[in-house]
Amino acid sequence: MSDVAVRLTVNGRVRDGRCPPRRLLVDFLREDLGLTGTHVGCEHGICGACTVLLDGEAARSCLMLAVQADGAEILTIEGLMKDGALHPLQEAFREHHALQCGFCTPGMLMTALDLLRVKPEPTEADVREGLSAVLCRCTGYHGIVKAVQAAAPRMRTGQRRPA
Ligand code: FES
Ligand code: FES
């Protein structure tokens, strides 16, 4: 089957490409656009490592075809830093030791961003439930939950809006 054109706005920049119709969005991001910050784990929608924001909402990029995302706005982990400064959520992850190997971290951060968009003042239970869609094999989640709770007020008070 011949390649098809795909146009996405990724991290604020229009990106054009051509790919087979069955190419996964995560493969398009990583291999065609070189944005390898989005990780691939299970490729079955279970682990959450591949989570990106698609038109502002968390989405598993291993469960979508690139052509299905044609015309969408995508935010990946590469789009979080601004002007050389970490996003407040990234800062909080660093402060609270919320990562070890880092494999889950991009998906965890993008999922947390979506959670804080929907629930700007989450309880600990909200955070635990919201992040339960992303698997971490290293941290035991404690530092991750603390980091998201620490980032929430900073984002509400305007250090940085949820992306
Ligand atoms: S790689 Fe997409 S959910 Fe695991
Ligand atoms: S930090 Fe290693 S899987 Fe989460």
Side-chain angles (χ1 to χ4, degrees):
M1 207 176 287
S2 51
D3 287 356
V4 293
V6 177
R7 169 174 282 205
L8 305 174
T9 302
V10 185
N11 303 329
R13 184 174 152 208
V14 175
R15 306 292 299 264
D16 287 297
R18 295 190 66 79
C19 66
R22 295 179 64 81
R23 193 160 188 73
L24 295 174
L25 175 59
V26 69
D27 293 334
F28 185 77
L29 291 171
R30 288 175 56 85
E31 293 169 26
D32 294 59
L33 302 186
L35 296 169
T36 54
T38 300
H39 291 162
V40 195
C42 64
E43 293 188 87
H44 285 93
I46 305 295
C47 73
C50 65
T51 304
V52 298
L53 296 192
L54 180 93
D55 291 333
E57 295 186 22
R60 304 281 211 235
S61 59
C62 76
L63 292 183
M64 287 188 73
L65 302 174
V67 290
Q68 289 177 296
D70 187 43
E73 289 207 16
I74 308 269
L75 184 72
T76 70
I77 188 74
E78 288 91 346
L80 287 193
M81 277 185 78
K82 283 225 166 58
D83 302 325
L86 291 177
H87 188 283
L89 196 51
Q90 291 174 303
E91 280 285 2
F93 267 55
R94 185 165 69 177
E95 287 165 15
H96 292 271
H97 310 290
L99 64 149
Q100 289 179 24
C101 79
F103 188 80
C104 71
T105 310
M108 201 64 89
L109 285 165
M110 305 319 284
T111 303
L113 272 179
D114 193 27
L115 170 69
L116 292 174
R117 177 183 65 82
V118 177
K119 288 199 174 183
E121 298 185 55
T123 63
E124 180 179 339
D126 291 334
V127 175
R128 288 190 180 276
E129 185 182 348
L131 298 184
S132 63
V134 187
L135 302 183
C136 176
R137 289 167 293 185
C138 303
T139 64
Y141 299 91
H142 188 69
I144 294 173
V145 173
K146 286 264 175 260
V148 174
Q149 288 186 292
R154 297 178 199 173
M155 289 167 66
R156 285 200 305 274
T157 54
Q159 267 195 39
R160 181 87 76 87
R161 302 288 305 157

